[in-house]
């Protein structure tokens, strides 16, 4: 890796595919205009040759530039930097300081796996580098070398000193001897439980509607319902059975999709880097440097709490548009028992005090969690009841009750706890909780909302913002007592000069 490396040869085939993708709309228009001649069989060989020649020429023109760019692409490590160079007419060169690398990820889509290729994504707080197709052996070697070089720079090279690049062979051998430690491996039972409680039906619906949107096959839905109406004379019973069967089958397929996605999920630790590997058809390899973590997020839903499972994720900073995860969130433990979770958190982040904070929303703030949605539902239900459906009040009553219970649940669980230079925040949505653990030094902004309606009940809303991807990570506590707002605000003021006061906001 210390000498310029080339892309995988299969990358050049990707240029041809990109050329075809850029031409599919004009190609469809031409085929549509020539449909009568094609279906009638009155297409001469001359027409086919001319059309094929034009198509090949267009593919060469559209894909040729990309082909030359990939042919000229080089990447290597030099003087503590990862260097990436490409360009056809204009040469472009990117240099990433190895010490600032936060994540080194690569994935193996099923097509890439056939040729031993991967996609590599290197993320830093400023910019990143995305390499579309490279050899898997190159990616693994590059990942190991970058980890070792980061460790060498941090541990062996004092400030102001210089190091030899590439490092001496014996130094590299000593660094690569350090094995990675397996912190967690998801077994089959946990994988099944996670798939059943992780929106499996939503994953199936996203796949189905994405397919229908792609081919415009609305007639499939009509045929599906027509079949049940033909078998069962009762229309209401037929529709109910069709919907029920769709949900059951969709849920089962969704579980299968989630199980394949998180197959053999493993969390490992090497030096100060956490490495996540998972996937059956498309293998994912993600990494994050512990020292670059901006905050810790522990999530759960009411269903998962009943069986004692939680999830752990962290956020990192990056301004790169090339990265797929622009929110900067990296899932470390998507499904794990509570006791095991806190044990691993204590091992990875020994300088963090992770503790679920008690609820701090006063009684006068409870109604604010559901009153607006309740009013909206009442208005919508009344309109539907009056104009269209006589039993709309039953559906409306059930929905209102669900939002009232959810609001009370949110109010009871929302809270905070301050421990020196650290704050634990618990924010709650629709029966889902997010526990944020934020260090004072990582806080970049605080926002305080205090309008006349809140002032009357001596309540307020405060948001703490930490860096995460391009968007930032926001943790908001709603409708807590003013004295609690003051405590959090004073704690935040000691860590940032960017705090904003929205006391006159709406």
């Amino acid at each position: 890796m210390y000498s310029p490396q080339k892309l995988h040869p299969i990358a050049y085939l990707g240029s041809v595919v990109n050329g075809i993708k850029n031409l599919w709309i004009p190609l469809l228009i031409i085929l549509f205009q020539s449909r009568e001649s094609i279906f009638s069989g009155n297409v001469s060989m001359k027409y086919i040759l001319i059309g094929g020649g034009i198509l090949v020429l267009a593919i060469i023109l559209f894909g040729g530039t990309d082909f030359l760019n990939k042919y000229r692409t080089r990447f290597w490590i030099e003087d503590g930097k990862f260097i990436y160079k490409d360009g056809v007419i204009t040469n472009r060169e990117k240099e990433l300081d190895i010490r600032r690398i936060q994540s080194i990820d690569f994935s193996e889509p099923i097509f890439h796996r056939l040729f031993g290729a991967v996609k590599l994504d290197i993320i830093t707080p400023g910019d990143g580098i995305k390499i579309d197709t490279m050899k898997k052996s190159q990616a693994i070697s590059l990942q190991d070398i970058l980890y070792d070089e980061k460790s060498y720079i941090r541990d062996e090279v004092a400030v102001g000193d210089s190091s030899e690049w590439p490092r001496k062979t014996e130094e590299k051998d000593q660094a690569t001897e350090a094995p990675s430690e397996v912190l967690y491996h998801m077994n089959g039972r946990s994988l099944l439980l996670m798939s059943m409680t992780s929106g499996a039906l939503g994953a199936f619906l996203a796949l189905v509607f994405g397919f229908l949107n792609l081919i415009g096959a609305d007639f499939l839905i009509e045929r599906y319902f027509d079949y049940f109406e033909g078998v069962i004379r009762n229309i209401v019973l037929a529709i109910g059975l069709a919907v029920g069967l769709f949900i059951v089958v969709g849920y089962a397929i969704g579980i299968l999709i989630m199980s394949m996605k998180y197959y053999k999920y493993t969390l490992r630790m090497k030096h100060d880097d956490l490495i996540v590997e998972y996937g059956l058809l498309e293998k994912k390899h993600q990494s994050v440097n512990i020292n670059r973590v901006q905050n810790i997020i522990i999530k759960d839903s009411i269903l998962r709490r009943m069986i004692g499972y939680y999830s752990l994720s962290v956020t990192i900073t990056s301004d790169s548009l090339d990265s797929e995860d622009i929110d900067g969130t990296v899932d470390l433990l998507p499904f794990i028992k509570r006791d095991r979770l806190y044990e691993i958190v204590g091992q990875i982040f020994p300088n963090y005090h992770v503790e679920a904070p008690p609820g701090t929303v006063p009684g006068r703030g409870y109604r604010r969690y559901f009153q607006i949605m309740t009013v909206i539902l009442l208005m919508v239900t009344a309109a539907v009841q009056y104009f269209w459906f006589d039993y709309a009040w039953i559906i409306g009553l059930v929905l209102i009750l669900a939002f009232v219970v959810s609001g009370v649940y949110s109010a009871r669980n929302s809270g905070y706890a301050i421990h020196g230079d650290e704050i634990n925040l618990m924010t709650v949505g629709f029966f889902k909780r997010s526990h944020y653990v934020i260090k004072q030094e990582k806080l970049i902004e605080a926002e305080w909302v205090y309008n006349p309606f809140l002032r009357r009940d001596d309540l307020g809303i405060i948001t703490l913002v930490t860096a995460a991807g391009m968007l930032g990570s926001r943790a908001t506590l709603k409708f807590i007592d003013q004295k609690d707002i003051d405590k959090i605000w004073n704690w935040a003021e000691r860590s940032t000069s960017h705090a904003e006061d929205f006391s006159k906001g709406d």
Side-chain angles (χ1 to χ4, degrees):
M1 286 299 167
Y2 296 101
S3 59
Q5 305 287 312
K6 295 181 180 180
L7 297 178
H8 194 288
I10 198 63
Y12 308 134
L13 179 59
S15 300
V16 178
V17 175
N18 290 334
I20 296 174
K21 285 170 59 178
N22 293 329
L23 291 170
W24 74 273
I25 294 180
L27 184 60
L28 286 179
I29 295 175
I30 294 173
L31 291 176
F32 181 79
Q33 295 293 334
S34 307
R35 65 188 184 280
E36 295 181 359
S37 299
I38 294 174
F39 289 125
S40 64
N42 298 326
V43 182
S44 64
M45 182 59 66
K46 180 180 179 181
Y47 181 84
I48 294 175
L49 292 175
I50 293 175
I54 294 175
L55 178 62
V56 171
L57 180 61
I59 292 174
I60 293 174
L61 291 176
F62 281 93
T65 303
D66 187 53
F67 182 94
L68 291 175
N69 182 61
K70 290 179 177 178
Y71 179 77
R72 290 172 56 85
T73 297
R74 298 290 186 273
F75 53 91
W76 69 94
I77 297 173
E78 181 181 336
D79 293 335
K81 294 182 176 62
F82 178 77
I83 303 173
Y84 179 85
K85 188 174 182 180
D86 66 356
V88 179
I89 299 176
T90 303
N91 290 331
R92 296 171 296 181
E93 185 173 312
K94 277 187 178 182
E95 293 185 357
L96 299 184
D97 190 334
I98 291 178
R99 290 170 297 185
R100 292 177 58 80
I101 291 176
Q102 298 194 120
S103 180
I104 308 167
D105 309 334
F106 64 89
S107 61
E108 302 176 64
I110 188 167
F111 178 77
H112 286 61
R113 290 175 65 185
L114 295 174
F115 299 94
V118 300
K119 294 181 177 181
L120 184 73
D121 196 5
I122 301 177
I123 301 173
T124 69
D127 200 354
I129 291 176
K130 191 177 187 67
I131 302 178
D132 182 72
T133 309
M134 67 184 302
K135 295 179 181 178
K136 183 178 178 179
S137 58
Q138 286 179 320
I140 295 175
S141 177
L142 177 62
Q143 192 179 54
D144 291 340
I145 291 174
L146 289 176
Y147 286 148
D148 295 336
E149 296 294 357
K150 286 168 63 179
S151 176
Y152 175 77
I153 293 172
R154 182 182 63 253
D155 299 333
E156 303 295 336
V157 182
V159 176
D161 291 346
S162 60
S163 62
E164 296 183 18
W165 294 88
R167 282 165 39 203
K168 296 179 180 178
T169 305
E170 60 269 16
E171 290 174 336
K172 287 191 287 186
D173 291 341
Q174 292 172 3
T176 54
E177 285 176 0
S180 60
E181 177 186 1
V182 177
L183 300 179
Y184 176 74
H185 177 76
M186 187 182 298
N187 57 34
R189 178 176 177 273
S190 296
L191 178 62
L192 180 60
L193 283 174
M194 186 199 69
S195 302
M196 295 173 65
T197 58
S198 297
L201 182 59
F204 172 73
L205 291 176
L207 180 67
V208 169
F209 287 114
F211 173 75
L212 293 177
N213 183 60
L214 178 64
I215 67 174
D218 296 338
F219 66 92
L220 292 177
I221 301 177
E222 296 176 3
R223 294 280 183 87
Y224 176 77
F225 283 101
D226 288 343
Y227 172 78
F228 283 90
E229 291 178 9
V231 175
I232 303 174
R233 298 300 179 183
N234 190 313
I235 296 178
V236 176
L237 181 60
I239 294 176
L241 182 61
V243 172
L245 181 62
F246 180 82
I247 291 175
V248 171
V249 174
Y251 184 64
I253 295 176
I255 291 175
L256 180 62
I257 293 173
M258 298 296 291
S259 299
M260 291 191 298
K261 178 180 178 181
Y262 290 98
Y263 181 72
K264 287 188 176 180
Y265 194 99
T266 304
L267 173 66
R268 297 186 290 113
M269 183 174 180
K270 184 175 182 180
H271 303 309
D272 284 343
D273 294 287
L274 301 172
I275 305 166
V276 172
E277 298 177 351
Y278 61 94
L280 179 60
L281 296 181
E282 179 179 359
K283 290 188 176 181
K284 293 276 191 178
H285 305 256
Q286 293 181 292
S287 69
V288 60
N289 185 270
I290 296 175
N291 300 313
R292 302 294 184 180
V293 169
Q294 300 301 304
N295 63 27
I296 301 172
I297 308 173
I298 299 173
K299 294 184 178 182
D300 68 77
S301 63
I302 191 169
L303 179 60
R304 286 191 171 186
R305 285 182 66 193
M306 292 173 62
I307 58 177
Y309 281 88
Y310 295 73
S311 67
L312 171 69
S313 58
V314 296
T315 60
I316 58 176
T317 60
S318 177
D319 295 328
S320 175
L321 291 171
D322 294 330
S323 176
E324 296 178 0
D325 302 319
I326 61 174
D327 62 347
T329 301
V330 180
D331 294 325
L332 296 182
L333 298 168
F335 195 74
I336 187 172
K337 279 285 189 179
R338 183 180 186 277
D339 294 340
R340 182 71 178 127
L341 168 67
Y342 282 93
E343 178 184 337
I344 293 177
V345 169
Q347 183 178 353
I348 299 174
F349 305 103
N351 59 326
Y352 277 78
H353 181 89
V354 181
E355 176 186 348
T360 55
V361 177
R364 61 186 183 278
Y366 274 46
R367 63 179 175 83
R368 297 178 181 273
Y369 279 86
F370 56 81
Q371 63 183 7
I372 295 178
M373 184 56 66
T374 300
V375 172
I376 293 174
L377 284 174
L378 282 173
M379 295 172 62
V380 172
T381 302
V384 174
Q385 174 83 20
Y386 183 80
F387 292 104
W388 294 291
F389 186 46
D390 292 338
Y391 296 98
W393 66 272
I394 299 177
I395 300 175
L397 183 62
V398 172
L399 291 176
I400 289 173
L401 182 61
F403 277 100
V404 170
V405 174
S406 172
V408 174
Y409 176 83
S410 299
R412 289 188 62 182
N413 285 274
S414 297
Y416 76 98
I418 296 176
H419 301 278
D421 66 339
E422 183 177 303
I423 187 169
N424 285 250
L425 292 175
M426 183 73 77
T427 66
V428 188
F430 192 78
F431 296 109
K432 293 183 178 181
R433 305 191 309 175
S434 296
H435 176 192
Y436 294 84
V437 188
I438 303 172
K439 283 286 187 181
Q440 204 172 55
E441 61 186 17
K442 303 294 185 180
L443 189 66
I444 61 173
E445 186 178 0
E447 301 173 359
W448 170 22
V449 177
Y450 189 51
N451 57 49
F453 298 101
L454 296 175
R455 186 179 294 111
R456 183 182 60 186
D457 289 336
D458 201 27
L459 300 173
I461 301 173
I462 191 165
T463 300
L464 301 183
V465 184
T466 55
M470 297 184 61
L471 306 176
S473 176
R474 305 172 67 86
T476 302
L477 277 180
K478 298 179 179 179
F479 315 127
I480 61 176
D481 200 287
Q482 182 59 43
K483 63 180 181 180
D484 293 315
I485 293 284
D486 293 336
K487 288 181 182 179
I488 298 175
W489 185 261
N490 292 332
W491 176 86
E493 278 190 326
R494 295 196 299 269
S495 64
T496 176
S497 59
H498 306 293
E500 300 182 29
D501 188 349
F502 289 92
S503 58
K504 297 182 180 180
D506 296 329

